[in-house]
Amino acid sequence: MGDHVLVMPTVLVTGIVYLWPDQAPSDVFGLDGLFPVAILHYLAGRVIFLFMCAHIYLGTCGDKVSSHFKMMITGCHEH
């Protein structure tokens, strides 16, 4: 398994910490407890956003704009 499996759980866990900030650690690596959580949440969210943008772009790179999306839905490749 790759590291990409850790990105969504990171966003979920850090988001939950934001819902209940009193549960966050008071000090992480000498920084305020929510600052590292904010950095992790932002970076993991950015990775997911870029992943989505790249896949949507790659889906439009077929012979026709819709050909790869149609292939994903139907499972049939157009020749």
Side-chain angles (χ1 to χ4, degrees), residues 9-72:
T10 300
V11 170
L12 292 173
V13 169
T14 56
I16 289 171
V17 171
Y18 268 130
L19 284 174
W20 294 284
D22 55 321
Q23 301 295 324
S26 60
D27 185 44
V28 177
F29 301 120
L31 300 169
D32 178 36
L34 281 181
F35 184 69
V37 173
I39 298 296
L40 274 174
H41 190 74
Y42 173 78
L43 292 175
R46 179 61 62 122
V47 167
I48 290 172
F49 176 74
L50 293 174
F51 180 83
M52 284 179 18
C53 288
H55 278 78
I56 291 170
Y57 169 73
L58 290 173
T60 63
C61 290
D63 293 335
K64 294 182 280 182
V65 173
S66 64
S67 62
H68 284 165
F69 292 115
K70 195 181 302 181
M71 181 178 58
M72 285 183 236

